Amino acid sequence: MWSNGRKWLERALAIAPERPASRERVEATIDAALLASDQMDTAVAKQLAEAALAQAQELGEPRSTVRALGALGFVSWKQKAYLLAWTHCEQALALARVLQDKILEANLLHILGRIAMNQNNLESARSCLEQGLAVYQELDDNLGANIASSDLGLLAYLQHDFASARRYHERSLHSFREVGDIAGMEMTLNRLGDVARCENDYDEAERCYTECLAIYRETGDKDEIPSLLHNLGYVASYRGEYFRAIALFGVFVAKGRKPTLRLSQIAVKASQLCNLVVDSDN
C-alpha cells in the first residue's frame, strides 16, 4: 500500500511544474519523503524533505515548514543520526507550539520520545511520550493515543517496570481491537508476549505470540514470522521443551538470521536429554 502511494505521489510530482512553488507541491513532497523513509530509502527521503523545506520557507508557509522540519527529523531518526533528528524535531516542535497546532505538536513529541529512547535517555523519552499522549487524548485522537500508550509500555519494559508495561499495552490492545487496527494489534501482542515472558508467565507469553502469529499468517506478513517463531522458541526453551525450541529456532536460522547463544545452549540440553533417554533404555 505504501509502495503504491509513493508511486502515485512521485508521478504527480514528476508531471507538476516545479515553478512557481506551491503549497500543494510542498505537502506532496513531504508525504513522498515520509513514505520513502518508511521504506528505508532514506537518501531519497532526505533529498525530498530538504527540497520541501526550502520551498516551504520560500513560500513563507509556516505549517509546511514545521512538517518539512519534522520530516527531516524523521529521516535522520531512520538513519540513526539521533542528535540531528532531535535538533530538527525540537525546532519543528517550537514552531508548532507558536502556531498552536496541536496535532503537529503531539506527533513531534512522539517522535522526540522515540529518539530519546534510542539514545537511552529514558526520562526524557517518558516526558515527551507522556506529553504527546496527553495532547492526543485532548484531541480525541485514538490512533495517536494508542500508539503513544504502546510506546510508553515499551519504555516501561526497558526500565523493567513490567506491571506498568502490561497496563499500557493492554489499554492499547483493547483500543486497537475496537477499531480493527491489525498493525497495532500485531505490535502490541508481540510486546505483551515479551512482558509476560519476562514475568515468567509462559502460558500468557505463548498465547500472545500465537495470536500474533495467526494475524501475521492471515495478513501475509511473512517477513515478521521468523522473529515471532524465535520468540516462541524462547518460551519453549524456558519450559524445558528443548526439541520444540530447536524446531522453532530452526525456522529463524533457515531464513538467514543469525543463530542465538540460546540456541546453542538448548542444543546442548537436548543432547543431554537424548543421552538420558538412551541410558534409561539400557
Side-chain angles (χ1 to χ4, degrees):
M1 183 174 66
W2 286 350
S3 179
N4 288 336
R6 181 181 170 189
K7 286 178 182 177
W8 281 109
L9 278 170
E10 289 178 345
R11 188 177 299 175
L13 288 170
I15 62 176
E18 290 190 21
R19 295 292 173 185
S22 67
R23 181 179 178 277
E24 290 75 16
R25 182 180 180 85
V26 172
E27 291 293 318
T29 304
I30 293 168
D31 291 338
L34 292 171
L35 286 170
S37 185
D38 273 325
Q39 294 177 312
M40 296 309 296
D41 192 354
T42 54
V44 170
K46 183 179 179 182
Q47 291 175 353
L48 289 167
E50 287 174 342
L53 178 60
Q55 289 191 8
Q57 290 173 333
E58 178 187 334
L59 288 168
E61 283 283 351
R63 191 175 191 279
S64 296
T65 298
V66 173
R67 287 198 69 220
L69 276 170
L72 272 173
F74 187 75
V75 173
S76 299
W77 174 46
K78 290 285 188 176
Q79 292 177 322
K80 299 183 179 180
Y82 299 129
L83 289 176
L84 184 59
W86 182 273
T87 299
H88 286 314
C89 289
E90 198 172 39
Q91 290 174 349
L93 177 61
L95 290 172
R97 283 173 166 164
V98 170
L99 295 174
Q100 297 184 331
D101 191 314
K102 291 291 187 178
I103 189 61
L104 286 179
E105 179 184 356
N107 291 342
L108 288 161
L109 282 165
H110 183 243
I111 296 173
L112 283 165
R114 293 303 305 269
I115 295 167
M117 208 184 302
N118 286 126
Q119 292 179 299
N120 205 34
N121 189 346
L122 301 187
E123 288 309 312
S124 179
R126 179 180 297 280
S127 175
C128 290
L129 290 172
E130 286 179 345
Q131 288 180 68
L133 176 60
V135 178
Y136 283 131
Q137 289 172 333
E138 179 187 340
L139 295 170
D140 290 325
D141 185 336
N142 290 329
L143 176 60
N146 290 342
I147 295 172
S149 182
S150 187
D151 282 343
L152 278 164
L154 176 60
L155 178 62
Y157 170 81
L158 293 174
Q159 294 179 307
H160 302 285
D161 182 0
F162 300 126
S164 294
R166 185 174 61 255
R167 185 175 66 253
Y168 277 121
H169 288 323
E170 285 175 347
R171 174 196 177 282
S172 295
L173 181 60
H174 176 74
S175 297
F176 283 135
R177 287 192 197 280
E178 280 191 332
V179 298
D181 187 326
I182 299 299
M185 289 167 59
E186 290 172 343
M187 173 184 68
T188 309
L189 281 165
N190 206 346
R191 290 178 176 180
L192 270 171
D194 291 343
V195 171
R197 192 178 73 193
C198 289
E199 293 181 312
N200 300 325
D201 187 349
Y202 302 126
D203 288 343
E204 178 64 12
E206 180 158 2
R207 187 194 68 76
C208 291
Y209 290 144
T210 301
E211 183 180 352
C212 187
L213 179 62
I215 296 173
Y216 282 149
R217 284 174 168 159
E218 184 179 341
T219 58
D221 195 353
K222 296 180 180 179
D223 290 340
E224 297 298 330
I225 288 177
S227 294
L228 200 55
L229 292 175
H230 179 273
N231 291 343
L232 282 165
Y234 264 86
V235 172
S237 70
Y238 286 122
R239 283 173 161 171
E241 300 168 356
Y242 301 123
F243 294 108
R244 179 168 176 253
I246 287 173
L248 289 163
F249 278 130
V251 177
F252 182 79
V253 175
K255 293 294 184 180
R257 310 294 177 89
K258 185 178 179 181
T260 63
L261 176 61
R262 185 75 183 164
L263 177 56
S264 62
Q265 293 170 339
I266 292 166
V268 170
K269 290 182 178 180
S271 176
Q272 291 170 344
L273 185 60
C274 284
N275 290 335
L276 287 172
V277 171
V278 171
D279 289 343
S280 66
D281 288 343
N282 292 335

